[in-house]
Amino acid sequence: MNRQIKIYLIEYVDIAKAKQAILQTYSQEHDGMRYSIDHADKGRPLLKREGERYGEISVSHTANMLAIAFSDMPIGIDLEKRDREIDKRVCDSIEHWTRYEAYGKWLGEGISRKLLKGQLPDKLLRTRIINGCYLSICSESDEPDSITIIDNKKIL
């Protein structure tokens, strides 16, 4: 199994156009087929190729930044501006919040009070700082170079 994770990051004005731009770029770099994003009952994004379920995907956005992660294994990401205020009664920092969000997405549950009271599996989580944002990634990949971030910086 390919344990690589590709995360595309883009600034946007129109989020729908930004999602389409990332899907088109992924298609051109991957196999040239048509990709789309659908949603499961609880809102979890599903990646489709030519209309059929394909691989794993996680989507996050904050302010004017969008991140979409593609992988062959379950993946969860969260992207938040570093200066975003957070209620300290909920979580101690915005960086910590992104880790909980990424973990909740990886589980397929999203964020909940129960999740916030639990212990995070630190071995599954990595956080990067990019473009003034925290980007937290949750996956089972333990390969050191398994994550590639493609930063487009193009506003659509």
Side-chain angles (χ1 to χ4, degrees), residues 57-116:
I57 188 171
S58 187
V59 179
S60 185
H61 60 90
T62 184
N64 64 336
M65 297 294 290
L66 169 68
I68 301 180
F70 299 88
S71 182
D72 290 335
M73 63 190 154
I75 181 82
I77 63 169
D78 190 49
L79 179 72
E80 298 290 347
K81 291 282 188 184
R82 290 177 66 195
D83 60 359
R84 179 177 167 205
E85 295 290 323
I86 189 151
D87 186 337
K88 299 289 186 197
R89 294 172 297 176
V90 175
C91 199
D92 63 353
S93 71
I94 193 63
E95 179 182 5
H96 204 207
W97 174 264
T98 65
R99 294 170 67 78
Y100 275 109
E101 274 276 358
Y103 180 51
K105 289 178 179 183
W106 179 78
L107 290 172
E109 299 174 3
I111 199 91
S112 66
R113 288 183 196 268
K114 179 183 171 188
L115 184 73
L116 287 168

Side-chain angles (χ1 to χ4, degrees), residues 13-43:
V13 173
D14 182 323
I15 194 165
K17 287 182 181 177
K19 284 180 182 178
Q20 286 303 328
I22 288 174
L23 288 170
Q24 184 175 16
T25 300
Y26 179 76
S27 174
Q28 290 168 347
E29 293 176 359
H30 194 64
D31 58 14
M33 298 187 85
R34 187 173 166 269
Y35 289 86
S36 61
I37 300 173
D38 201 354
H39 293 89
D41 293 340
K42 292 184 179 180

